[in-house]
Amino acid sequence: MKRKVVLLILALATVFFACDNNSKKKIIGRYYLTTGEGRGNTFYLSYLIDDEGTTVGVIEGSIAAYGYNSDYIVLSQYPYGGESVVNYYIVKVKKHYTYFPEKYMLGPLDRASFDKATKKYRIDHLELKSVKDLQ
């Protein structure tokens, strides 16, 4: 009887740990492009909140492209899954831990507002690279 219980616990533990389908691609610092269960190959921007690997979503939807330097991350996103609407974001990279990474984000922006903001912050040279290159 004990053997069956142990085998059942091992089987459940294997299933539990095998179901973690999250894939994280580090951008910079505590920021990651993450894809998870039920998301297929779509990425969202997440932020590492502890040293155990736990992340929180900063920008949901489907991230299409990203660029970054040591101070900023720029992103384009398809908010509804299709490609007919594109939003743009600018995220200030927090070099120290924060519980509220979303406070350091500008967006969603349309393309004209995004271009104006990147010039203002002197990051208009950052190139948006497709997330398809990550897959």
Side-chain angles (χ1 to χ4, degrees):
M1 178 68 173
K2 284 185 179 182
R3 185 172 186 211
K4 287 182 181 181
V5 170
V6 170
L7 288 174
L8 179 61
I9 290 171
L10 287 173
L12 289 173
T14 301
V15 168
F16 175 75
F17 289 111
C19 287
D20 183 10
N21 294 328
N22 287 353
S23 171
K24 292 184 249 184
K25 310 289 184 185
K26 185 173 185 171
I27 299 177
I28 187 170
R30 300 176 85 79
Y31 295 89
Y32 290 79
L33 286 174
T34 305
T35 183
E37 191 171 329
R39 291 184 172 269
N41 290 328
T42 63
F43 288 93
Y44 63 97
L45 182 67
S46 62
Y47 180 82
L48 185 68
I49 60 168
D50 61 29
D51 293 330
E52 283 77 45
T54 306
T55 59
V56 294
V58 179
I59 300 175
E60 296 293 328
S62 178
I63 302 297
Y66 70 103
Y68 67 95
N69 65 17
S70 61
D71 297 314
Y72 293 95
I73 301 169
V74 293
L75 301 148
S76 66
Q77 171 229 38
Y78 301 128
Y80 307 113
E83 297 182 12
S84 60
V85 176
V86 180
N87 289 333
Y88 296 89
Y89 293 86
I90 299 171
V91 179
K92 175 78 173 137
V93 172
K94 292 305 297 172
K95 298 192 176 19
H96 302 287
Y97 177 80
T98 179
Y99 282 108
F100 304 103
E102 67 280 359
K103 285 187 173 185
Y104 305 95
M105 174 181 75
L106 180 61
L109 304 169
D110 61 24
R111 185 61 196 225
S113 299
F114 175 75
D115 289 343
K116 185 176 179 181
T118 57
K119 285 181 180 152
K120 175 183 175 182
Y121 294 113
R122 298 181 181 175
I123 54 172
D124 51 327
H125 64 281
L126 291 178
E127 181 182 336
L128 289 169
K129 298 174 278 187
S130 174
V131 296
K132 292 178 183 176
D133 298 337
L134 297 173
Q135 300 170 352

